[in-house]
Amino acid sequence: MPIDATPTEALLARFLRDLVPLRPLALWAHGSLAGGDYQEGRSDLDLIAVLPDPLTLGTVRGVVRTHRRLRAAPLAAGLHCTYLTPAASGDPGRSHLTWAHGRVTRRPVTPVTRRELHDFGRVLHGGPPAGLLPPVPDRQLGEFVVRDQRDYWRPHVDRARLWRQDVWVDLGLLTFARATVTLRDGRLVSKREALSELTALGAPAEVVEDITRRRYGAPAPRDEAWLARRAGLTRAYLGPAIDELVTVYG
């Protein structure tokens, strides 16, 4: 590892070393790190590891040990990794062993993630995604995006208490903007591009500016009144916007 390696590079190098006993076939990055919009200390590290078949109880224990050893490392709290095997990699609806937010869970590798991996995934170890993951047809991608907006995000808009939190405001609006571009143009865009798209889509300017400051600059002081106002603006915009998107593309 170079002496001047960044904290992100140092963490990835250590993670890959610690994975060696599990004999990884590949390690890939997707999300912001792969898409060129990574903000160190603010962005998560979204990874996919491919391990040999089969995933045994011993493998699961090895995964847990690996991540627990990393817990004190800088940026490790944002390192999330899903573990595939070649035999189980083809089904986008299947859930896979995942370490995220300090615990083991199970998640699918969605059509959006799979398209990211094919289009601009960053290979950290082993072969490229094209050698292990089937391609994602445009129709499959579009159907997933519509379903995600309709069945996940739209019901959550009605849960008012969630939208006082930064994560819901940011992901809700950015995911909507990215979904719009994917359905309209058939391409994936970064979060930075999605912010510009939100402005063009008529999202509340105050909220877009708030997201931009917190992601790329110095956050402005906030109080409870602003959090309540921001939540109201976001929900008032996002609910009808999702409804229209689903009507047009569903």
Side-chain angles (χ1 to χ4, degrees), residues 12 15-16 19 24-31 33-34 45-51 79-86 89 109 113-114 116-118 120-134:
L12 291 173
F15 180 57
L16 186 53
L19 277 182
L25 305 175
L27 181 65
W28 308 316
H30 61 101
L33 184 63
L45 289 164
D46 298 312
L47 307 177
I48 303 287
V50 184
L51 301 182
L79 190 154
H80 306 150
C81 188
T82 294
Y83 293 85
L84 301 179
T85 65
S89 63
V109 180
T113 296
R114 290 165 182 263
E116 285 184 0
L117 288 167
H118 279 285
F120 51 80
R122 177 176 167 183
V123 177
L124 303 173
H125 170 74
L132 287 162
L133 291 178

Side-chain angles (χ1 to χ4, degrees), residues 161-172:
R161 63 179 181 82
L162 298 175
W163 299 90
R164 296 174 72 92
Q165 302 174 46
D166 292 346
V167 65
W168 281 93
V169 172
D170 296 1
L171 286 180

Side-chain angles (χ1 to χ4, degrees), residues 58-111:
T59 307
V60 175
R61 288 171 175 164
V63 166
V64 172
R65 284 195 301 270
T66 296
H67 286 278
R68 285 180 174 170
R69 282 197 296 264
L70 284 177
R71 281 189 297 191
L75 308 179
L79 190 154
H80 306 150
C81 188
T82 294
Y83 293 85
L84 301 179
T85 65
S89 63
D91 180 3
R94 181 168 180 168
S95 292
H96 305 274
L97 176 70
T98 301
W99 180 273
H101 306 294
R103 64 185 180 89
V104 169
T105 184
R106 296 188 68 83
R107 289 181 180 174
V109 180
T110 69

Side-chain angles (χ1 to χ4, degrees), residues 42 166 170 210-217 219 222 230:
R42 300 185 184 189
D166 292 346
D170 296 1
D210 176 70
I211 298 171
T212 303
R213 283 195 301 266
R214 285 186 288 101
R215 183 166 177 81
Y216 300 108
R222 302 178 299 169
R230 186 184 67 175

